[in-house]
Amino acid sequence: MRPVILWFRRNLRLADNAALLAAVESGQPVIPLYIADGQDKGTASRWWLHHSLSSLDSGLRQLGASLVLRSGPPQLVLDELCKETGATAVYFARRFEPESRRQQDDVNDALGSRLDLHCYDDSLLQVPESISTQAGNPYRVFTPFWNAARSLGEPDVPSPAPQTLRVFDPLPESVSIDDLALLTDAADRHHGYESAWKPGEPGGLERIDDLESLLGDYVTSRDRPDKDATSRLSPHLCFGEVSVRQVWHATRQAGASAASASGREALLRQLYWRDFSSYLLFHFPDLPHKPLRAEFEEFPWSVDDSQLHAWQEGTTGYPIVDAGMRQLRETGWMHNRVRMIVASFLIKDLLVPWQIGAEWFLDRLVDADLANNSASWQWVAGSGTDAAPYFRVFNPTLQGKKFDPQGSYVRRWVPEVSESAYPAPIVDHGEARRRALDAYASIRGMRTSKQAP
Ligand code: FAD
């Protein structure tokens, strides 16, 4: 019987995978395929992807299959594979990044008339098209989006992994995982990643199992980088090793105490922030590059390369900023509160364009996600749709005292913090704040004068 192709994208899992289930249900033999299409450019994401693909391959082997790896533009790879095997259909999950959407169009244009293309939505709680204002426009602000999303009811219940898989025999040739050359970065960085993470579906499911114990303290401790109080599910969600529906339903069912109830609500809300970021990227594909508030295009940025370098290396002389940037370098992850602090410092204290910080994060984060990252950077800059007010300039010293009161987070990542070797602050925060407010006032002034007749 002629086979079907299951094209894995950022849904590198066996459970609650709509495309996989549908391919199995087709009754035809399945070819599990991953295409390295050059979209994963970040050094940390590429490390994660390498291990995630190995893990998926192990999971498939337990079902008697293995993962076929190819590289190139998806429409060409799929075309070639169909010619080699006589496959009649391709099953895959939809993605929302502009480059992924172009890929989907290319695949449709090249193969849509010859093959059955089956595209599934299971990467978000609600698809972006299902939520709009009464006037039919996209929401630009989170809370009304959230209310509208929740009024649609509970997301679909996740489905289990298939017990059996009818595999096409023999499976077509695959390149080796090493041929994909995903691990090109310095070995010492991988060492830090390896002790911090377990990429792959089993690692993600373990984190879901831990949710129950997290919820009681989530509200009070989620802003504390010195505590291990958040789920650390972001890279697993980012690569689709677990589905957001699995996380949503596990959270919903976890914990019966009153403290857990508020923790549950707060975590569910974060999952909708993830949906909202993809929703914004879907409706505003320029989100990664262009400020959503047009007046910010005229913002008087001023980049000092040595200050930017100090930020990247974690040597600004502000302990909480340096701790965050070093946590990022060593583990590929940074606590959310500290992401906000370091982003505010770069944009407001150093007047570096948010796009430069966003790009650095995309290279260094194991959870690098174009939608979440772009929306969050615009939020901190004040240029987004749901932006923090421009005058909220975090004081890095006070933020450190408030959210790392004993200084244990800082000491962990910046052990030399109390020694003379630790650098003096590269800018005076008071002066930098005034400079930032002047810069912000200048664009607000510009907007007023532009609007004047
Ligand atoms: P938890 O608190 O356990 O939250 C559970 C899940 O909810 C997260 O895994 C994530 O998927 C989602 N979530 C939580 N907070 C947010 C948020 N603010 N926006 C969107 N989704 C959220 N997150 C990424 O996944 N990838 C990024 O590239 C990314 N870049 C960021 C850049 C900046 C400047 C900032 C301020 C935030 C960024 N975030 C990004 C959002 C957030 O920091 C991380 O999702 C969170 O720290 C992940 O840790 P966790 O899984 O323990 O979160």
Side-chain angles (χ1 to χ4, degrees):
M1 194 189 272
R2 294 171 73 176
V4 297
I5 296 173
L6 167 61
W7 172 25
F8 281 102
R9 303 175 87 197
R10 281 217 169 177
N11 55 341
L12 303 177
R13 63 178 180 271
L14 300 178
D16 198 33
N17 184 326
L20 166 60
L21 270 195
V24 169
E25 280 165 11
S26 74
Q28 293 174 255
V30 175
I31 302 173
L33 168 73
Y34 181 82
I35 304 173
D37 54 18
Q39 264 205 75
D40 291 286
K41 298 185 183 73
T43 50
S45 325
R46 288 164 71 83
W47 174 85
W48 190 284
L49 180 62
H50 175 100
H51 293 288
S52 189
L53 292 174
S54 303
S55 169
L56 180 63
D57 183 56
S58 307
L60 285 166
R61 282 176 194 276
Q62 287 174 17
L63 292 173
S66 64
L67 187 61
V68 175
L69 300 173
R70 297 273 171 106
S71 56
Q75 76 277 16
L76 298 185
V77 173
L78 290 168
D79 189 28
E80 201 177 82
L81 202 59
C82 287
K83 286 182 183 144
E84 272 173 53
T85 62
T88 58
V90 183
Y91 291 78
F92 60 99
R94 180 157 72 132
R95 292 181 61 171
F96 298 100
E97 303 88 349
E99 205 174 324
S100 305
R101 288 167 69 180
R102 268 193 299 279
Q103 266 183 3
Q104 283 150 204
D105 291 344
D106 290 345
V107 167
N108 258 320
D109 293 346
L111 307 171
S113 58
R114 284 184 285 136
L115 293 174
D116 289 332
L117 300 176
H118 302 276
C119 182
Y120 295 87
D121 271 311
D122 60 3
S123 68
L124 298 177
L125 295 167
Q126 307 291 351
V127 294
E129 294 91 341
S130 64
I131 300 169
S132 54
T133 63
Q134 284 198 338
N137 297 319
Y139 283 103
R140 301 170 73 95
V141 175
F142 176 72
T143 302
F145 164 86
W146 188 43
N147 292 334
R150 295 206 75 176
S151 73
L152 295 175
E154 297 202 344
D156 292 343
V157 174
S159 47
Q163 296 294 307
T164 55
L165 183 62
R166 184 168 177 205
V167 187
F168 185 63
D169 190 20
L171 276 175
E173 244 174 62
S174 165
V175 300
S176 83
I177 184 114
D178 292 331
D179 290 337
L180 300 183
L182 294 167
L183 301 180
T184 50
D185 201 27
D188 55 344
R189 191 158 342 134
H190 296 156
H191 185 66
Y193 295 170
E194 264 153 28
S195 49
W197 300 105
K198 183 174 168 189
E201 186 171 9
L205 293 174
E206 282 170 24
R207 298 257 182 213
I208 290 184
D209 286 344
D210 291 343
L211 283 174
E212 174 97 41
S213 59
L214 200 80
L215 293 181
D217 283 337
Y218 187 72
V219 171
T220 48
S221 300
R222 59 178 288 262
D223 270 327
R224 293 280 300 269
D226 54 336
K227 297 187 173 184
D228 195 7
T230 65
S231 71
R232 301 204 183 204
L233 272 163
S234 50
H236 299 286
L237 279 167
C238 183
F239 284 87
E241 298 167 351
V242 294
S243 78
V244 67
R245 299 192 298 219
Q246 286 174 296
V247 182
W248 196 94
H249 282 278
T251 306
R252 195 85 174 83
Q253 282 152 21
S257 69
S260 297
S262 51
R264 207 161 48 217
E265 198 58 15
L267 188 57
L268 295 179
R269 187 182 159 91
Q270 293 316 111
L271 299 177
Y272 279 101
W273 268 106
R274 176 179 177 274
D275 257 43
F276 185 52
S277 301
S278 286
Y279 175 89
L280 287 178
L281 183 60
F282 176 77
H283 288 293
F284 306 101
D286 285 336
L287 185 78
H289 312 290
K290 279 179 76 165
L292 286 171
R293 296 182 184 197
E295 63 268 31
F296 274 79
E297 287 189 37
E298 311 292 331
F299 193 89
W301 303 110
S302 109
V303 183
D304 173 324
D305 285 339
S306 70
Q307 290 182 347
L308 173 60
H309 185 70
W311 179 81
Q312 291 169 336
E313 294 300 311
T315 53
T316 65
Y318 283 96
I320 192 82
V321 174
D322 295 342
M325 296 309 290
R326 295 188 203 186
Q327 181 181 30
L328 176 64
R329 183 178 64 200
E330 283 172 43
T331 68
W333 187 87
M334 193 194 301
H335 188 278
N336 180 59
R337 166 60 49 179
V338 190
R339 291 187 204 205
M340 291 196 276
I341 297 170
V342 305
S344 172
F345 185 80
L346 185 75
I347 297 167
K348 298 181 181 177
D349 288 52
L350 302 186
L351 289 187
V352 172
W354 59 267
Q355 292 94 331
I356 293 182
E359 212 173 298
W360 184 259
F361 268 33
L362 285 181
D363 184 48
R364 296 300 165 112
L365 282 170
V366 286
D367 64 20
D369 175 273
L370 194 65
N372 284 352
N373 193 52
S374 312
S376 299
W377 276 92
Q378 292 229 27
W379 186 88
V380 177
S383 63
T385 51
D386 198 295
Y390 74 93
F391 50 80
R392 185 189 290 167
V393 181
F394 282 142
N395 178 324
T397 309
L398 295 182
Q399 289 281 313
K401 280 192 180 137
K402 184 165 177 196
F403 296 108
D404 180 29
Q406 278 86 43
S408 56
Y409 174 75
V410 161
R411 278 194 304 280
R412 172 160 183 210
W413 298 109
V414 191
E416 80 281 18
V417 68
S418 356
E419 293 165 17
S420 57
Y422 185 64
I426 56 171
V427 285
D428 174 86
H429 175 70
E431 277 170 27
R433 181 172 183 279
R434 275 190 294 282
R435 200 169 62 126
L437 292 180
D438 287 347
Y440 277 90
S442 78
I443 61 162
R444 281 189 306 136
M446 188 195 68
R447 183 177 48 183
T448 315
S449 61
K450 270 193 180 168
Q451 281 169 351

